[in-house]
Amino acid sequence: MANDSDENKPTSTAAMTEDDLLLQDQQLKQIEDEQKASPLVGDKLPFYALAGLYDPVSAITFFTKANELAAIYSDIRFIRGDGNCFYRAVLVGIVEILMKDRERLIKFIDTGREWMAKLVKLGFPDWTCSDFCEFFIEFLEKIRDGKYTEAEVFQNLNDDGTANYLLMYFRLITSGFLKDNCEEYAPFIAEGMTLQQYCETEIEAMWKEADHLSIMALVRATGIRLRIQYMDRSEAPNGGYQHDLPDEADNVTPDITLLYRPGHYDLIYRNLVAQ
Amino acid sequence: MTTPSRRRLMRDFKKLQEDPPAGVSGAPTEDNILAWEAIIFGPQETPFEDGTFKLSLEFSEEYPNKPPIVKFISKMFHPNVYADGSICLDILQNRWSPTYDVAAILTSIQSLLDEPNPNSPANSLAAQLYQENRREYEKRVQQIVEQVNWSWLNFGENEGDAVMKDDIDVEEISQGAGGGGGGDDADDRMDEGASGSNA
């Protein structure tokens, strides 16, 4: 792509001709089409479906681990791998909790309103951000008022336009949380970038994967207890197979558990009998 | 059912009417909320001054999660505008955020006019002149401004103009630009926005 070496500082778009751009567009379109072949949020499947993805010989580590985990977890929902998977898994996990817990649902609606006011105060583009918040609050209110069946809720979570509109609320409060606690979190931002820039380019933009900082921010912004289950020990920040947020020492049952496989999160459910 | 993108576009439009940013205006076409036309006035005290540039914005059902495709319909001579009118602007590509609305897009393009990024040239001649021969660059820009403004008044005579390739209602717009009434609602809105921002 970069064939114009005369440029002193070629950016990715610097040396692109229209043909290059067209080709890139086609490639991106192809990747996107492949992603769209799987649903945004899969149905709940028995956990052993995971082991079925791995070859017992060539992928022995993951195959074995998947079988081990099947003793603890009963179900899995595969989430589309489009860069939004972390936020989407949390969105779905939270909505599932709220459908069963009315008190928490009402509290979450109130928190949504508080966030809306806070985002404006933090200097987010006023009306567009309020619009995302309002959309999310209206969605929860419809659940509260019994206007959606569970099937309809999942229809919405699987409709690209609606689901991504809802998801944007989570990106905004993630970003809002970091901006609100700028002093605490600014030291964790890689050099050469301000916290503001990080929030704008890595969190507020769609299709950007969440890293540890944004994960922590979303957990604290929503007040959920999250467990991330790893397939191998090299990825977890604490060097173990699982990582609990916001507080490691908490050791209470998490609200939501995510399975992390390199570069991707799915939603998993504990086997209640085994507990 | 109203999709989130259509709902949002209606709100974008309402916002643009109630609180119009200086020097830009835009409206959906009469029969399609996903297809917009917009006008950007060249910023004062720049070579683009007095230019009235027309653009098209093509939204998808994934807006605002994905940016619209924005193109100049009017002729343009600018380092970051391709021959077909496509614009090379980071916020319309990799730095897009769903928190941007139509007003933000249009004002960003307006700023781009006088603050080109010669490091990502879409028009290499314009980029080269901008960096090496500013005087000639400004002359070329002013020529374009004249041509574009002329085309608003004399559509039929400007066969080379990009506007002619499009199947927009030439007659109504030329009537509106000439000060005559009788345009349909969409064009009236466009004109109000235009004269309002000019004042």
Side-chain angles (χ1 to χ4, degrees), chain B residues 2 17 35 76 90 102 114 158 165-166:
Chain B
T2 324
Q17 282 180 307
M76 180 44 81
D90 56 359
V102 177
D114 194 44
N158 259 307
K165 283 184 247 158
D166 220 333

Side-chain angles (χ1 to χ4, degrees), chain B residues 102-159:
Chain B
V102 177
I105 295 170
L106 294 178
T107 47
S108 299
I109 295 173
Q110 192 188 33
S111 317
L112 179 73
L113 286 183
D114 194 44
E115 293 157 18
N117 175 8
N119 288 325
S120 25
N123 177 335
S124 48
L125 176 64
Q128 194 190 352
L129 288 179
Y130 179 78
Q131 283 177 310
E132 293 165 12
N133 188 348
R134 192 63 64 90
R135 187 176 226 164
E136 177 63 20
Y137 170 79
E138 291 180 357
K139 209 172 107 194
R140 297 289 287 266
V141 170
Q142 278 151 11
Q143 280 170 2
I144 287 288
V145 168
E146 274 172 37
Q147 276 182 41
V148 166
N149 287 357
W150 185 246
S151 72
W152 282 92
L153 298 167
N154 302 275
F155 264 82
E157 291 162 32
N158 259 307
E159 286 177 32

